Amino acid sequence: MDVLIQLGATLLNSIRDILPIMAVLIGFQLLVLRKPVPNPQRVIVGFFAVLFGITLFIQGLEMALFPLGEVMAAQLTNPDFIIQATGYTANQWQGYLWVYLFAAAIGFATTLAEPSLIAVATKAEQISAGGINALGLRLAVALGVSFGIALGTYRIVSGTELWMYIITGYLLVLIQTAFAPKLIIGLAYDSGGVTTSTVTVPLVAALGLGLASSVPGRSPLIDGFGLIAFASLFPIMAVLGYAQIAEWRSRTK
Amino acid sequence: MIRIKSGFLKQLFSSFIDLLPILVVVSIFQLLIIKQPFPDLANLITGIILVTLGLTLFMYGLELALFPIGDNMAYAFARKGSVFWLVTFAFALGFGTTIAEPALLAISLKAASIAAEGGVITNSQAAQDSYALGLRLTIAVSVGTAIIIGVLRILKGWSLQYLIIGGYLGIIIMTAFAPPEIIGIAYDSGGITTSTITVPLVTALGIGLASSIQGRNPVTDGFGLIALASLTPMIFVMLYGILI
């Protein structure tokens, strides 16, 4: 019964989120374009599928994954666990080895489940007539997120400045852009923004907050931020790199 | 009917495969490294079933509604040939989808409490609320602006690289002048503005535009809207931090 009540609340939230988008789409369709939508029944059915799909998805995440993620983040950053598992204390960056590994693993796994990335990868495969492989793209993005979040957790632990990492990252992206195949550039840039939505952000935010509140000298309010920035920067590098390697391989063949 | 059913089962299975890595990672860490049982196994299993069903329905609706809507509207605007209405639509879509984004609401409230703690604004509820609202409006306007720039880019055939490089330079310069408390929020705000519904719609819009305009290639010119939409908020938020 509780589940149903929660589902209802989540559904209301989803409707509230979708309303402005619906208003814009319907408003422009009726007032500006003044053309009927082709296959209106299909579109309406599809819209309801999206609405209920997102509702179930978020409800499921909130029941299963987010609380578990919070518990795990707290356990992995617990000083007792750190000494026991690594032999280092909570003051030393080496003590957080399992945190870095968890960050990398969960970043990889949640990215593969990210609905908007699946959507963009599917679209890219369709329009490139198979030239871009959807799964390959998703794996590249997941690797990028994985590395980015692991580095981001190290940054929180070590207390180094966020902007140094991000600006270095941008410079690397600029250099890569100069050498990467033209075809992939737009998609690579897009994949940075796509990765961080429904699944990854809440889990990663829990990890960042957990870390920032347990590492001595960090403030959760200030140091807890920045992980999402890492998670949107590194996929760009990974996708550009993936395209570069694919091009080299096809050239040497 | 049978065809729909087998398609549904296939999608259900592929959704489950997409979620499997999370289950593997969580189980290995929880059971082997933290060495604790799962706190609430019943909720976990119910949750996983809901997530799998939800992803399946979403993917089904994506192909049925979100992609076709984005495509059709792009073609209709291209046929109408009015740059004014296209630009207005682009802004409305960017602004409308961002202002309601729940992740944005959460982060702007957090930013307001940081600002209050840092003494940037007075530590009252009213001041924090107006700071948070200002931040949300700023980010929504910046996403609307980004979609306008992106759509104009597709129309005019501007090169995406130069826009992105310009944006990065903007971020680097703003970082030097922005108050340190706002930098983390600014960088993160780029990633959270693009939600699960916005991404497919905006992607389909860009690709639809690029395919309906002569001389544009959907692959090279169609992408890039999301990239711009995650870039401009960083600049605008730092600007907001400097001005307030």
Side-chain angles (χ1 to χ4, degrees):
Chain A
M1 200 53 213
D2 273 358
V3 178
L4 286 181
I5 294 172
Q6 284 170 10
L7 259 180
T10 315
L11 181 64
L12 282 181
N13 277 335
S14 310
I15 292 174
R16 205 191 52 203
D17 298 340
I18 291 181
L19 269 183
I21 306 176
M22 289 290 285
V24 170
L25 294 179
I26 295 174
F28 274 85
Q29 191 75 45
L30 292 182
L31 301 176
V32 180
L33 294 172
R34 294 201 193 107
K35 288 230 173 69
V37 187
N39 293 320
Q41 283 110 329
R42 270 173 60 106
V43 170
I44 290 169
V45 170
F47 225 95
F48 275 101
V50 166
L51 184 66
F52 288 115
I54 287 189
T55 304
L56 290 176
F57 193 77
I58 291 177
Q59 179 62 38
L61 288 177
E62 279 173 1
M63 274 178 74
L65 211 55
F66 295 161
L68 184 62
E70 265 170 49
V71 171
M72 291 178 74
Q75 284 167 334
L76 285 168
T77 53
N78 184 327
D80 294 336
F81 169 80
I82 288 172
I83 292 215
Q84 206 183 21
T86 65
Y88 291 98
T89 66
N91 286 314
Q92 293 166 297
W93 68 268
Q94 295 97 326
Y96 295 89
L97 176 73
W98 286 113
V99 173
Y100 311 141
L101 285 176
F102 179 68
I106 202 75
F108 185 85
T110 54
T111 305
L112 286 181
E114 201 65 79
S116 41
L117 178 63
I118 304 179
V120 168
T122 315
K123 195 82 190 169
E125 188 172 90
Q126 280 168 9
I127 60 162
S128 68
I132 297 165
N133 177 275
L135 186 63
L137 181 72
R138 285 169 61 204
L139 285 172
V141 172
L143 274 179
V145 173
S146 165
F147 184 78
I149 295 183
L151 190 64
T153 50
Y154 168 75
R155 184 201 75 83
I156 294 179
V157 170
S158 66
T160 33
E161 293 282 354
L162 175 63
W163 62 266
M164 293 196 294
Y165 290 85
I166 299 296
I167 289 177
T168 314
Y170 282 165
L171 293 177
L172 281 174
V173 169
L174 292 184
I175 296 169
Q176 279 184 295
T177 303
F179 295 99
K182 278 255 176 314
L183 201 68
I184 200 79
I185 290 175
L187 184 57
Y189 289 153
D190 271 6
S191 56
V194 165
T195 48
T196 45
S197 51
T198 330
V199 202
T200 317
V201 170
L203 267 183
V204 163
L207 192 63
L209 283 175
L211 260 183
S213 35
S214 68
V215 180
R218 301 286 169 275
S219 136
L221 225 43
I222 294 176
D223 299 298
F225 287 103
L227 279 181
I228 296 167
F230 277 88
S232 22
L233 177 60
F234 283 82
I236 306 181
M237 292 187 212
V239 173
L240 287 173
Y242 166 74
Q244 187 95 68
I245 292 167
E247 200 191 42
W248 279 338
R249 274 179 45 195
S250 69
R251 214 181 279 164
T252 50
K253 252 176 208 168
Chain B
M1 194 60 204
I2 292 166
R3 210 169 56 92
I4 295 174
K5 244 189 196 160
S6 82
F8 183 77
L9 282 180
K10 226 172 162 181
Q11 181 60 54
L12 201 61
F13 180 71
S14 108
S15 299
F16 182 71
I17 296 291
D18 288 333
L19 295 166
L20 200 58
I22 301 185
L23 300 182
V24 172
V25 168
V26 166
S27 310
I28 289 181
F29 271 84
Q30 184 71 2
L31 302 176
L32 299 181
I33 291 152
I34 303 175
K35 295 190 184 113
Q36 297 281 329
F38 283 112
D40 194 343
L41 202 58
N43 256 353
L44 186 69
I45 292 170
T46 322
I48 290 164
I49 294 171
L50 292 184
V51 171
T52 313
L53 276 176
L55 189 58
T56 308
L57 274 177
F58 175 79
M59 296 308 295
Y60 177 71
L62 186 74
E63 296 286 347
L64 228 52
L66 292 188
F67 279 160
I69 290 177
D71 264 349
N72 282 329
M73 292 192 87
Y75 281 111
F77 274 112
R79 232 177 301 134
K80 194 175 171 67
S82 157
V83 177
F84 170 78
W85 280 118
L86 179 59
V87 163
T88 315
F89 175 69
F91 184 84
L93 190 64
F95 184 90
T97 54
T98 310
I99 197 77
E101 178 66 38
L104 180 61
L105 184 67
I107 209 168
S108 61
L109 290 175
K110 217 178 269 173
S113 63
I114 294 179
E117 203 166 84
V120 182
I121 53 174
T122 52
N123 201 351
S124 72
Q125 195 56 46
Q128 284 197 27
D129 284 348
S130 86
Y131 184 90
L133 182 65
L135 194 62
R136 270 171 70 202
L137 285 172
T138 307
I139 295 177
V141 168
S142 73
V143 174
T145 314
I147 309 283
I148 292 184
I149 298 174
V151 162
L152 286 177
R153 173 193 92 82
I154 297 174
L155 286 184
K156 311 273 180 201
W158 298 336
S159 157
L160 180 64
Q161 288 101 294
Y162 296 115
L163 285 175
I164 300 281
I165 293 171
Y168 282 169
L169 289 178
I171 292 173
I172 294 174
I173 294 168
M174 296 302 280
T175 305
F177 294 103
E181 319 84 64
I182 200 105
I183 290 177
I185 300 161
Y187 286 170
D188 274 3
S189 68
I192 56 167
T193 48
T194 42
S195 77
T196 312
I197 304 171
T198 320
V199 166
L201 267 178
V202 166
T203 304
L205 177 75
I207 290 170
L209 271 181
S211 354
S212 53
I213 296 169
Q214 264 204 336
R216 301 281 173 275
N217 175 328
V219 182
T220 45
D221 300 307
F223 291 105
L225 288 177
I226 303 289
L228 291 167
S230 28
L231 212 149
T232 49
M234 304 193 211
I235 302 177
F236 277 54
V237 169
M238 285 194 270
L239 190 68
Y240 184 75
I242 293 173
L243 294 179
I244 296 229

